[in-house]
Amino acid sequence: MQGQAMRDINLLDLNLLRVFETVMQERSVSLAAERLHITQSAVSNALNRLRAALDDPLFVRTRNGMEPTPLAISFAVPVQDGLA
């Protein structure tokens, strides 16, 4: 991670991590939104904030759903453990 991204991560809203975890599990923005009882645009907005803070796309849209990037994969278990 770049220096700026490291500083930005300290300012993250922890609710963004719940969105990250749900998208990671569902591999779908719409399914994550449904599960979290929020709008698809709210999920997209949360992902965009995380992407900006971490300087990584985190998920890439494919025909099989939202595929996580290597950075997202590396964060998945620590985020899940932290939210547990």
Side-chain angles (χ1 to χ4, degrees):
M1 262 189 272
Q2 301 294 337
Q4 181 64 37
M6 289 291 263
R7 285 189 296 275
D8 290 346
I9 198 167
N10 293 324
L11 303 174
L12 282 181
D13 176 348
L14 294 180
N15 289 316
L16 298 178
L17 299 180
R18 187 163 310 283
V19 171
F20 169 84
E21 176 189 37
T22 306
V23 173
M24 189 69 167
Q25 292 172 352
E26 298 293 341
R27 299 293 205 270
S28 165
V29 170
S30 58
L31 291 175
E34 186 176 311
R35 193 166 132 202
L36 293 166
H37 306 288
I38 60 176
T39 65
Q40 288 182 17
S41 58
V43 172
S44 292
N45 183 42
L47 285 178
N48 286 334
R49 289 176 57 196
L50 279 170
R51 288 171 170 145
L54 299 172
D55 194 28
D56 187 87
L58 298 176
F59 298 94
V60 178
R61 192 176 314 276
T62 70
R63 72 175 74 168
N64 297 323
M66 300 294 284
E67 292 295 323
T69 65
L71 182 66
I73 291 168
S74 73
F75 278 172
V77 171
V79 167
Q80 186 177 32
D81 290 348
L83 292 173

Coordinates of all heavy atoms in Angstrom, one line a residue:
M1 N 0.8 -1.2 0.0 CA 0.0 0.0 0.0 C 0.9 1.2 0.0 O 1.9 1.3 0.6 CB -0.9 0.0 1.2 CG -2.3 -0.5 1.0 SD -3.3 -0.2 2.4 CE -3.0 -1.7 3.3
Q2 N 0.4 2.2 -0.7 CA 1.1 3.5 -0.7 C 0.9 4.2 0.6 O 0.0 4.0 1.4 CB 0.5 4.4 -1.9 CG 0.7 3.7 -3.2 CD 2.1 3.6 -3.7 OE1 3.0 4.3 -3.2 NE2 2.4 2.6 -4.5
G3 N 1.8 5.2 0.9 CA 1.7 6.0 2.1 C 0.4 6.7 2.3 O -0.2 6.6 3.4
Q4 N -0.2 7.3 1.3 CA -1.5 7.9 1.4 C -2.6 7.0 1.7 O -3.4 7.2 2.6 CB -1.8 8.7 0.1 CG -3.1 9.4 0.1 CD -3.1 10.6 1.1 OE1 -2.1 11.2 1.3 NE2 -4.3 10.7 1.8
A5 N -2.6 5.8 1.1 CA -3.6 4.8 1.4 C -3.5 4.3 2.8 O -4.5 4.1 3.5 CB -3.4 3.6 0.4
M6 N -2.3 4.2 3.4 CA -2.1 3.8 4.8 C -2.8 4.8 5.7 O -3.4 4.5 6.7 CB -0.7 3.6 5.1 CG -0.1 2.4 4.4 SD -0.7 0.9 5.2 CE 0.6 0.6 6.3
R7 N -2.6 6.1 5.4 CA -3.2 7.2 6.2 C -4.7 7.1 6.1 O -5.4 7.3 7.1 CB -2.6 8.5 5.8 CG -1.2 8.8 6.3 CD -0.8 10.2 6.1 NE -0.8 10.6 4.7 CZ 0.3 10.4 3.9 NH1 1.4 9.8 4.3 NH2 0.2 10.7 2.6
D8 N -5.2 6.9 4.9 CA -6.6 6.9 4.6 C -7.3 5.8 5.3 O -8.5 5.9 5.8 CB -7.0 6.8 3.1 CG -6.6 8.1 2.4 OD1 -6.4 9.1 3.0 OD2 -6.6 8.1 1.1
I9 N -6.7 4.6 5.4 CA -7.3 3.5 6.1 C -7.6 3.8 7.5 O -8.6 3.2 8.1 CB -6.5 2.2 5.9 CG1 -7.4 1.0 6.2 CG2 -5.3 2.2 6.8 CD1 -6.7 -0.3 5.7
N10 N -6.9 4.6 8.2 CA -7.1 5.0 9.6 C -8.4 5.8 9.7 O -8.9 5.9 10.9 CB -5.9 5.7 10.2 CG -4.7 4.8 10.3 OD1 -4.8 3.6 10.6 ND2 -3.5 5.4 10.1
L11 N -8.9 6.4 8.7 CA -10.1 7.2 8.7 C -11.3 6.5 8.2 O -12.4 7.1 8.2 CB -9.9 8.4 7.8 CG -8.6 9.3 8.2 CD1 -8.5 10.4 7.1 CD2 -8.8 9.9 9.5
L12 N -11.2 5.2 8.0 CA -12.4 4.4 7.4 C -13.5 4.3 8.4 O -13.3 4.1 9.6 CB -11.9 3.0 7.0 CG -11.2 2.9 5.7 CD1 -10.8 1.4 5.5 CD2 -11.9 3.4 4.6
D13 N -14.7 4.4 7.9 CA -15.9 4.1 8.7 C -15.9 2.5 8.8 O -15.9 1.8 7.8 CB -17.1 4.6 7.9 CG -18.4 4.3 8.5 OD1 -18.5 3.4 9.4 OD2 -19.4 4.8 8.1
L14 N -16.0 2.0 10.0 CA -16.0 0.5 10.1 C -17.2 -0.2 9.5 O -17.1 -1.3 9.2 CB -15.8 0.2 11.6 CG -14.5 0.6 12.3 CD1 -14.5 0.2 13.7 CD2 -13.3 0.0 11.5
N15 N -18.2 0.6 9.2 CA -19.4 0.0 8.5 C -19.0 -0.4 7.1 O -19.6 -1.3 6.5 CB -20.6 0.9 8.5 CG -21.2 1.1 9.9 OD1 -21.4 0.1 10.6 ND2 -21.5 2.3 10.3
L16 N -18.0 0.2 6.5 CA -17.6 -0.1 5.2 C -17.0 -1.5 5.2 O -17.1 -2.2 4.2 CB -16.5 0.8 4.7 CG -16.9 2.3 4.6 CD1 -15.7 3.1 4.1 CD2 -18.0 2.5 3.7
L17 N -16.4 -2.0 6.3 CA -15.9 -3.3 6.4 C -17.0 -4.4 6.3 O -16.8 -5.5 5.8 CB -15.0 -3.5 7.6 CG -13.8 -2.6 7.6 CD1 -13.0 -2.8 8.9 CD2 -12.9 -2.8 6.4
R18 N -18.2 -4.0 6.9 CA -19.3 -5.0 6.9 C -19.8 -5.1 5.4 O -20.1 -6.2 5.0 CB -20.4 -4.5 7.7 CG -21.5 -5.5 7.8 CD -22.5 -5.3 9.0 NE -21.9 -5.1 10.3 CZ -21.4 -6.1 11.0 NH1 -21.4 -7.3 10.6 NH2 -20.9 -5.8 12.2
V19 N -19.8 -4.0 4.7 CA -20.2 -4.0 3.3 C -19.1 -4.9 2.5 O -19.5 -5.8 1.7 CB -20.3 -2.6 2.7 CG1 -20.4 -2.7 1.1 CG2 -21.4 -1.9 3.3
F20 N -17.9 -4.6 2.8 CA -16.8 -5.4 2.1 C -17.0 -6.9 2.4 O -17.0 -7.7 1.4 CB -15.4 -5.0 2.6 CG -14.3 -5.9 2.2 CD1 -13.7 -5.8 1.0 CD2 -13.9 -6.9 3.0 CE1 -12.7 -6.6 0.6 CE2 -12.9 -7.8 2.6 CZ -12.3 -7.6 1.4
E21 N -17.2 -7.3 3.6 CA -17.4 -8.7 4.0 C -18.6 -9.3 3.2 O -18.5 -10.4 2.7 CB -17.6 -8.8 5.5 CG -17.8 -10.3 5.9 CD -18.2 -10.4 7.4 OE1 -18.9 -9.5 7.9 OE2 -17.8 -11.4 8.0
T22 N -19.7 -8.6 3.2 CA -20.9 -9.1 2.5 C -20.7 -9.3 1.0 O -21.1 -10.3 0.5 CB -22.1 -8.2 2.9 OG1 -22.2 -8.1 4.3 CG2 -23.4 -8.8 2.4
V23 N -20.1 -8.3 0.4 CA -19.8 -8.4 -1.1 C -18.9 -9.6 -1.3 O -19.0 -10.4 -2.2 CB -19.3 -7.1 -1.7 CG1 -18.8 -7.3 -3.1 CG2 -20.3 -6.0 -1.6
M24 N -17.9 -9.7 -0.4 CA -17.0 -10.9 -0.5 C -17.7 -12.2 -0.5 O -17.4 -13.1 -1.2 CB -15.9 -10.7 0.6 CG -14.8 -11.7 0.4 SD -13.8 -11.2 -1.0 CE -12.3 -12.2 -0.7
Q25 N -18.7 -12.3 0.4 CA -19.4 -13.5 0.6 C -20.4 -13.8 -0.6 O -20.5 -14.9 -1.1 CB -20.1 -13.6 1.9 CG -19.2 -13.6 3.1 CD -19.9 -13.5 4.4 OE1 -21.1 -13.1 4.5 NE2 -19.2 -13.7 5.5
E26 N -21.1 -12.7 -1.0 CA -22.2 -12.8 -2.0 C -21.6 -12.8 -3.4 O -22.3 -13.3 -4.3 CB -23.2 -11.7 -1.8 CG -23.9 -11.8 -0.4 CD -24.8 -13.0 -0.3 OE1 -25.2 -13.7 -1.3 OE2 -25.2 -13.4 0.8
R27 N -20.5 -12.1 -3.6 CA -19.9 -11.8 -4.9 C -20.9 -11.1 -5.8 O -20.9 -11.2 -7.0 CB -19.5 -13.1 -5.6 CG -18.4 -13.9 -4.9 CD -17.1 -13.2 -4.9 NE -16.0 -14.0 -4.8 CZ -15.4 -14.4 -3.6 NH1 -15.9 -14.0 -2.5 NH2 -14.4 -15.2 -3.6
S28 N -21.8 -10.3 -5.2 CA -22.8 -9.5 -5.9 C -23.2 -8.3 -5.1 O -23.4 -8.4 -3.9 CB -24.0 -10.4 -6.1 OG -25.1 -9.6 -6.5
V29 N -23.2 -7.1 -5.8 CA -23.6 -5.9 -5.1 C -25.1 -5.9 -4.8 O -25.5 -5.6 -3.7 CB -23.3 -4.7 -6.0 CG1 -23.9 -3.4 -5.5 CG2 -21.8 -4.5 -6.2
S30 N -25.9 -6.4 -5.7 CA -27.3 -6.4 -5.4 C -27.7 -7.4 -4.3 O -28.5 -7.1 -3.4 CB -28.1 -6.8 -6.7 OG -27.7 -8.0 -7.2
L31 N -27.0 -8.6 -4.3 CA -27.3 -9.5 -3.2 C -26.8 -9.0 -1.8 O -27.4 -9.2 -0.8 CB -26.7 -10.9 -3.5 CG -27.4 -11.7 -4.6 CD1 -26.6 -13.0 -4.9 CD2 -28.8 -12.0 -4.3
A32 N -25.6 -8.3 -1.9 CA -25.1 -7.7 -0.6 C -26.0 -6.7 -0.1 O -26.3 -6.6 1.1 CB -23.7 -7.2 -0.9
A33 N -26.6 -5.9 -1.0 CA -27.5 -4.8 -0.6 C -28.7 -5.4 0.0 O -29.2 -4.9 1.1 CB -27.9 -3.9 -1.8
E34 N -29.3 -6.4 -0.6 CA -30.5 -7.1 -0.1 C -30.2 -7.7 1.3 O -31.0 -7.5 2.2 CB -30.9 -8.2 -1.0 CG -32.2 -8.9 -0.7 CD -32.5 -9.9 -1.8 OE1 -32.5 -9.6 -3.0 OE2 -32.8 -11.1 -1.4
R35 N -29.1 -8.3 1.5 CA -28.7 -8.9 2.8 C -28.5 -7.9 3.8 O -28.8 -8.1 5.0 CB -27.5 -9.8 2.6 CG -27.2 -10.7 3.7 CD -26.2 -11.7 3.4 NE -25.3 -11.8 4.5 CZ -24.0 -12.2 4.4 NH1 -23.6 -12.7 3.2 NH2 -23.2 -12.2 5.4
L36 N -27.9 -6.7 3.5 CA -27.6 -5.7 4.4 C -28.8 -4.7 4.6 O -28.8 -3.8 5.5 CB -26.4 -4.8 4.0 CG -25.1 -5.6 4.0 CD1 -24.0 -4.8 3.2 CD2 -24.6 -5.8 5.4
H37 N -29.9 -4.9 3.8 CA -31.1 -4.0 3.9 C -30.7 -2.6 3.6 O -31.2 -1.7 4.3 CB -31.8 -4.2 5.3 CG -32.1 -5.6 5.6 ND1 -33.1 -6.3 5.0 CD2 -31.5 -6.4 6.5 CE1 -33.1 -7.5 5.5 NE2 -32.2 -7.6 6.4
I38 N -29.9 -2.4 2.6 CA -29.6 -1.1 2.1 C -29.7 -1.1 0.5 O -29.9 -2.2 -0.1 CB -28.1 -0.6 2.5 CG1 -27.1 -1.5 2.0 CG2 -28.1 -0.5 4.0 CD1 -25.6 -1.1 2.3
T39 N -29.6 0.1 -0.1 CA -29.7 0.1 -1.5 C -28.4 -0.3 -2.2 O -27.3 -0.3 -1.6 CB -30.0 1.6 -2.0 OG1 -28.9 2.4 -1.7 CG2 -31.3 2.1 -1.3
Q40 N -28.6 -0.7 -3.5 CA -27.4 -1.1 -4.3 C -26.5 0.1 -4.4 O -25.2 0.0 -4.4 CB -27.8 -1.5 -5.7 CG -28.5 -2.9 -5.7 CD -28.9 -3.3 -7.1 OE1 -28.4 -2.7 -8.1 NE2 -29.7 -4.3 -7.2
S41 N -27.0 1.3 -4.5 CA -26.2 2.5 -4.6 C -25.4 2.8 -3.4 O -24.2 3.2 -3.4 CB -26.9 3.7 -5.1 OG -28.0 4.0 -4.2
A42 N -26.0 2.4 -2.2 CA -25.2 2.6 -0.9 C -24.1 1.6 -0.9 O -23.0 1.9 -0.4 CB -26.2 2.3 0.2
V43 N -24.3 0.3 -1.4 CA -23.2 -0.6 -1.4 C -22.1 -0.1 -2.4 O -20.9 -0.2 -2.1 CB -23.7 -2.0 -1.8 CG1 -22.5 -3.0 -2.1 CG2 -24.6 -2.6 -0.8
S44 N -22.5 0.3 -3.5 CA -21.5 0.8 -4.5 C -20.8 2.0 -3.9 O -19.5 2.1 -4.1 CB -22.2 1.3 -5.8 OG -22.8 0.1 -6.5
N45 N -21.4 2.9 -3.2 CA -20.8 4.1 -2.6 C -19.8 3.6 -1.6 O -18.6 4.1 -1.5 CB -21.8 5.0 -2.0 CG -21.2 6.2 -1.4 OD1 -20.3 6.8 -2.0 ND2 -21.6 6.6 -0.3
A46 N -20.1 2.6 -0.8 CA -19.2 2.1 0.2 C -18.0 1.5 -0.4 O -16.9 1.7 0.0 CB -19.9 1.1 1.1
L47 N -18.2 0.7 -1.5 CA -17.1 0.1 -2.2 C -16.2 1.1 -2.8 O -15.0 1.0 -2.7 CB -17.6 -0.9 -3.3 CG -18.1 -2.2 -2.8 CD1 -18.6 -3.0 -4.0 CD2 -17.1 -3.0 -2.0
N48 N -16.8 2.2 -3.3 CA -16.0 3.3 -3.9 C -15.1 4.0 -2.9 O -14.0 4.3 -3.1 CB -16.8 4.3 -4.7 CG -17.3 3.7 -6.0 OD1 -16.7 2.8 -6.6 ND2 -18.5 4.2 -6.4
R49 N -15.7 4.2 -1.7 CA -14.9 4.8 -0.6 C -13.7 3.9 -0.2 O -12.6 4.3 0.0 CB -15.8 5.1 0.6 CG -16.8 6.2 0.3 CD -17.7 6.5 1.5 NE -17.1 6.7 2.7 CZ -17.7 6.6 3.9 NH1 -18.9 6.3 4.0 NH2 -17.0 6.9 5.0
L50 N -14.0 2.6 -0.1 CA -12.9 1.6 0.2 C -11.9 1.6 -0.9 O -10.7 1.5 -0.6 CB -13.5 0.2 0.4 CG -14.1 -0.1 1.8 CD1 -14.9 -1.4 1.7 CD2 -13.1 -0.1 2.9
R51 N -12.3 1.5 -2.1 CA -11.4 1.5 -3.2 C -10.5 2.7 -3.2 O -9.3 2.6 -3.4 CB -12.2 1.5 -4.5 CG -12.8 0.2 -4.8 CD -13.8 0.2 -6.0 NE -14.2 -1.1 -6.4 CZ -15.4 -1.4 -6.8 NH1 -16.3 -0.4 -7.0 NH2 -15.7 -2.6 -7.1
A52 N -11.0 3.9 -2.9 CA -10.2 5.1 -2.9 C -9.2 5.1 -1.7 O -8.1 5.4 -1.9 CB -11.1 6.3 -2.8
A53 N -9.7 4.6 -0.6 CA -8.8 4.6 0.6 C -7.7 3.6 0.5 O -6.6 3.8 0.9 CB -9.7 4.2 1.8
L54 N -8.0 2.5 -0.2 CA -7.0 1.4 -0.3 C -6.3 1.4 -1.7 O -5.3 0.6 -1.9 CB -7.7 0.0 -0.1 CG -8.3 -0.1 1.2 CD1 -9.1 -1.4 1.3 CD2 -7.3 -0.1 2.3
D55 N -6.7 2.3 -2.6 CA -6.0 2.4 -3.9 C -6.0 1.1 -4.6 O -5.0 0.6 -5.1 CB -4.6 3.0 -3.8 CG -4.1 3.5 -5.1 OD1 -4.9 3.8 -6.0 OD2 -2.8 3.5 -5.2
D56 N -7.2 0.4 -4.6 CA -7.3 -0.9 -5.2 C -8.8 -1.1 -5.6 O -9.6 -0.7 -4.9 CB -6.9 -2.0 -4.2 CG -6.8 -3.4 -4.9 OD1 -5.8 -3.7 -5.4 OD2 -7.8 -4.1 -4.8
P57 N -9.0 -1.7 -6.8 CA -10.4 -1.9 -7.1 C -11.2 -2.9 -6.2 O -12.4 -2.9 -6.2 CB -10.3 -2.4 -8.6 CG -9.0 -2.9 -8.8 CD -8.1 -2.2 -7.8
L58 N -10.5 -3.7 -5.5 CA -11.1 -4.7 -4.6 C -11.9 -5.8 -5.2 O -11.8 -6.9 -4.9 CB -11.9 -4.0 -3.4 CG -11.1 -3.1 -2.5 CD1 -12.0 -2.4 -1.6 CD2 -10.0 -3.8 -1.8
F59 N -12.8 -5.4 -6.1 CA -13.7 -6.4 -6.8 C -13.7 -6.0 -8.3 O -13.8 -4.8 -8.6 CB -15.1 -6.5 -6.2 CG -15.1 -6.9 -4.8 CD1 -15.1 -6.0 -3.8 CD2 -15.1 -8.3 -4.5 CE1 -15.2 -6.4 -2.5 CE2 -15.2 -8.7 -3.2 CZ -15.2 -7.7 -2.2
V60 N -13.7 -7.0 -9.2 CA -13.8 -6.7 -10.6 C -15.1 -7.5 -11.1 O -15.2 -8.6 -10.8 CB -12.5 -7.2 -11.3 CG1 -12.7 -7.0 -12.8 CG2 -11.3 -6.5 -10.8
R61 N -15.9 -6.8 -11.8 CA -17.1 -7.4 -12.3 C -16.8 -8.3 -13.4 O -16.1 -8.0 -14.4 CB -18.1 -6.3 -12.8 CG -19.5 -6.8 -13.1 CD -20.4 -5.6 -13.5 NE -20.3 -4.5 -12.7 CZ -21.0 -4.3 -11.5 NH1 -21.7 -5.3 -11.1 NH2 -20.9 -3.2 -10.8
T62 N -17.3 -9.6 -13.3 CA -17.1 -10.6 -14.4 C -18.4 -11.2 -14.6 O -19.4 -11.0 -13.9 CB -16.1 -11.7 -13.9 OG1 -16.7 -12.5 -12.9 CG2 -14.8 -11.1 -13.4
R63 N -18.5 -12.1 -15.6 CA -19.8 -12.8 -15.9 C -20.2 -13.7 -14.8 O -21.3 -14.1 -14.7 CB -19.7 -13.5 -17.2 CG -18.8 -14.7 -17.2 CD -18.9 -15.5 -18.5 NE -18.2 -14.8 -19.5 CZ -17.8 -15.3 -20.7 NH1 -18.2 -16.5 -21.0 NH2 -17.2 -14.6 -21.5
N64 N -19.2 -14.1 -13.9 CA -19.5 -14.9 -12.8 C -19.8 -14.2 -11.5 O -19.8 -14.7 -10.4 CB -18.3 -15.9 -12.5 CG -18.2 -16.8 -13.7 OD1 -19.1 -17.3 -14.3 ND2 -16.9 -17.1 -14.1
G65 N -19.8 -12.8 -11.6 CA -20.1 -12.0 -10.4 C -18.9 -11.1 -10.1 O -18.0 -10.9 -10.9
M66 N -18.8 -10.6 -8.9 CA -17.8 -9.7 -8.5 C -16.6 -10.6 -8.0 O -16.7 -11.2 -6.9 CB -18.2 -8.8 -7.4 CG -19.4 -7.9 -7.8 SD -19.0 -6.7 -9.1 CE -18.1 -5.5 -8.1
E67 N -15.5 -10.6 -8.7 CA -14.3 -11.3 -8.4 C -13.4 -10.5 -7.5 O -13.0 -9.3 -7.9 CB -13.6 -11.9 -9.6 CG -14.4 -12.9 -10.4 CD -14.6 -14.2 -9.6 OE1 -13.7 -14.6 -8.8 OE2 -15.7 -14.8 -9.7
P68 N -12.9 -10.9 -6.4 CA -12.0 -10.1 -5.5 C -10.6 -10.1 -6.1 O -10.1 -11.0 -6.8 CB -12.0 -10.9 -4.2 CG -12.4 -12.3 -4.6 CD -13.3 -12.2 -5.8
T69 N -10.0 -8.9 -5.9 CA -8.6 -8.8 -6.3 C -7.7 -9.5 -5.2 O -8.2 -9.8 -4.2 CB -8.2 -7.3 -6.3 OG1 -8.3 -6.7 -5.0 CG2 -9.1 -6.5 -7.3
P70 N -6.4 -9.6 -5.5 CA -5.5 -10.2 -4.5 C -5.5 -9.5 -3.2 O -5.5 -10.1 -2.1 CB -4.2 -10.2 -5.2 CG -4.5 -10.3 -6.6 CD -5.7 -9.5 -6.8
L71 N -5.6 -8.1 -3.2 CA -5.7 -7.4 -2.0 C -7.0 -7.7 -1.2 O -6.9 -7.9 0.0 CB -5.6 -5.9 -2.2 CG -5.6 -5.0 -1.0 CD1 -4.4 -5.2 -0.2 CD2 -5.7 -3.5 -1.4
A72 N -8.1 -7.8 -1.9 CA -9.4 -8.1 -1.2 C -9.3 -9.5 -0.6 O -9.7 -9.7 0.5 CB -10.5 -8.0 -2.2
I73 N -8.7 -10.4 -1.3 CA -8.6 -11.8 -0.8 C -7.7 -11.8 0.5 O -8.0 -12.4 1.5 CB -8.0 -12.7 -1.9 CG1 -9.0 -12.9 -3.0 CG2 -7.5 -14.1 -1.2 CD1 -8.4 -13.6 -4.2
S74 N -6.6 -11.0 0.5 CA -5.8 -10.9 1.6 C -6.4 -10.3 2.8 O -6.1 -10.5 4.0 CB -4.4 -10.2 1.3 OG -4.6 -8.8 1.2
F75 N -7.4 -9.4 2.6 CA -8.1 -8.7 3.7 C -9.3 -9.5 4.2 O -9.8 -9.3 5.3 CB -8.7 -7.4 3.2 CG -7.7 -6.3 3.2 CD1 -8.1 -5.0 2.7 CD2 -6.5 -6.4 3.8 CE1 -7.2 -4.0 2.7 CE2 -5.6 -5.3 3.8 CZ -5.9 -4.1 3.3
A76 N -9.8 -10.5 3.5 CA -11.1 -11.2 3.8 C -11.1 -11.8 5.2 O -12.0 -11.5 6.0 CB -11.4 -12.2 2.7
V77 N -10.1 -12.6 5.5 CA -10.1 -13.3 6.8 C -9.9 -12.3 8.0 O -10.7 -12.3 8.9 CB -9.1 -14.5 6.8 CG1 -9.0 -15.0 8.2 CG2 -9.5 -15.5 5.8
P78 N -8.9 -11.4 7.9 CA -8.8 -10.4 9.0 C -10.1 -9.6 9.2 O -10.4 -9.3 10.3 CB -7.6 -9.6 8.5 CG -6.8 -10.4 7.6 CD -7.9 -11.2 6.9
V79 N -10.7 -9.2 8.1 CA -11.9 -8.4 8.2 C -13.0 -9.2 8.9 O -13.7 -8.8 9.8 CB -12.4 -7.8 6.9 CG1 -13.8 -7.3 7.0 CG2 -11.5 -6.7 6.4
Q80 N -13.2 -10.4 8.4 CA -14.2 -11.3 9.0 C -13.9 -11.6 10.5 O -14.8 -11.5 11.3 CB -14.2 -12.7 8.2 CG -15.3 -13.6 8.6 CD -15.3 -14.9 7.8 OE1 -14.3 -15.3 7.3 NE2 -16.5 -15.4 7.5
D81 N -12.7 -11.8 10.8 CA -12.3 -12.0 12.2 C -12.6 -10.8 13.1 O -13.1 -10.9 14.2 CB -10.8 -12.5 12.3 CG -10.6 -13.9 11.8 OD1 -11.5 -14.6 11.6 OD2 -9.4 -14.2 11.7
G82 N -12.3 -9.7 12.5 CA -12.5 -8.4 13.2 C -13.9 -8.1 13.5 O -14.3 -7.5 14.5
L83 N -14.8 -8.5 12.5 CA -16.2 -8.2 12.7 C -16.9 -9.2 13.5 O -18.0 -9.0 14.0 CB -16.9 -8.1 11.3 CG -16.5 -6.9 10.4 CD1 -17.0 -7.0 9.0 CD2 -16.9 -5.6 11.1
A84 N -16.3 -10.4 13.7 CA -16.9 -11.5 14.5 C -17.1 -11.1 16.0 O -16.4 -10.4 16.5 CB -16.1 -12.7 14.3

